[in-house]
Amino acid sequence: MGTQERGRKVYRPLRRAGLEVIPDAVPDGTIPFVVGYRAEDVAGGFSHRYDTPRLVERLNEDWYDLAVSTGLLDDRREFLVQLPQGTRTHRAALRNLHGDSASPALWTRVRLLDPWDIMGRGAASAFLGIHAGHPGFAMMALDSSVYITASTGETGVDVFAVRHPDRSENIVQHLEGIVLRDSPDVYREFKERIAVWLAGRTERPPS
């Protein structure tokens, strides 16, 4: 997908949800994916059933409170969100959410504008969920200090915050296992990104 096409089909819907995309501005050394975290890594979160009154409004309110309290937003209200690559249509984005053969998502830097509607228009865009009130996304602070994920289940929405995912032994060990495991179910590109990050991590002095 070309830059103009991606701007029209991906960035414009996100802007309608209050997210301004800042291209090519992801900090070096950012952990490519966050998987394998456990209960001890979770630093907060919330859940709402689908029958919750004013569901989208409640989800937006609680997401913002969590984002502020955990430090997801910097002083310019910027953070990272994972977006699918090569998405050409709304339908293709939905397939990607459910494990389609599209390539793994990449971090993209965004700025939160006013007004915004992450859980309504954002989720309905298919890049941050399935439809309004049914979010599905991964977000992270620019300094990787917190990771926030939203997912939908059979009865409701779950949102969790993970502190310093790049320092979590559970997450690092899981990523190492992905690199070492010879599985046709794991994208080669996925494994390569993880391997590069792990190699760079061993070369950086501890913070």
Side-chain angles (χ1 to χ4, degrees), residues 11 21-26 108-109:
Y11 298 168
V21 172
I22 305 170
D24 305 319
V26 177
T108 299
R109 189 167 181 161

Side-chain angles (χ1 to χ4, degrees), residues 12-197:
R12 189 178 297 171
L14 290 175
R15 190 176 183 92
R16 287 197 291 268
L19 291 180
E20 176 187 6
V21 172
I22 305 170
D24 305 319
V26 177
D28 293 338
T30 298
I31 185 172
F33 303 96
V34 177
V35 288
Y37 59 86
R38 298 182 180 177
E40 60 265 29
D41 299 308
V42 175
F46 59 89
S47 299
H48 286 303
R49 292 178 57 87
Y50 296 131
D51 58 5
T52 299
R54 303 168 33 249
L55 176 61
V56 170
E57 185 177 346
R58 289 284 302 280
L59 288 170
N60 273 329
E61 291 172 352
D62 289 349
W63 171 81
Y64 187 75
D65 287 345
L66 187 65
V68 171
S69 65
T70 59
L72 175 70
L73 313 177
D74 75 351
D75 57 358
R76 293 172 56 85
R77 302 212 302 179
E78 294 179 6
F79 59 100
L80 303 176
V81 62
Q82 280 195 331
L83 297 179
Q85 302 305 295
T87 299
R88 294 183 177 275
T89 65
H90 183 276
R91 181 177 297 177
L94 290 175
R95 286 200 305 269
N96 187 78
L97 285 173
H98 295 286
D100 184 57
S101 59
S103 60
L106 289 176
W107 290 115
T108 299
R109 189 167 181 161
V110 296
R111 179 181 297 119
L112 187 67
L113 307 173
D114 283 320
W116 56 267
D117 183 10
I118 301 297
M119 299 295 190
R121 288 189 175 186
S125 72
F127 305 115
L128 299 179
I130 302 171
H131 53 77
H134 287 63
F137 57 69
M139 299 173 173
M140 192 157 61
L142 296 180
D143 62 0
S144 299
S145 60
V146 66
Y147 169 86
I148 294 180
T149 179
S151 62
T152 55
E154 292 185 3
T155 61
V157 178
D158 296 311
V159 180
F160 296 107
V162 177
R163 287 284 190 189
H164 299 290
D166 55 340
R167 303 180 195 173
S168 164
E169 292 185 7
N170 294 322
I171 293 171
V172 172
Q173 289 176 3
H174 195 93
L175 294 178
E176 290 172 340
I178 290 174
V179 172
L180 295 174
R181 188 165 57 247
D182 185 14
S183 171
D185 297 327
V186 179
Y187 297 109
R188 184 183 66 179
E189 182 184 1
F190 183 90
K191 294 177 66 171
E192 289 175 349
R193 290 182 199 165
I194 294 172
V196 168
W197 181 79

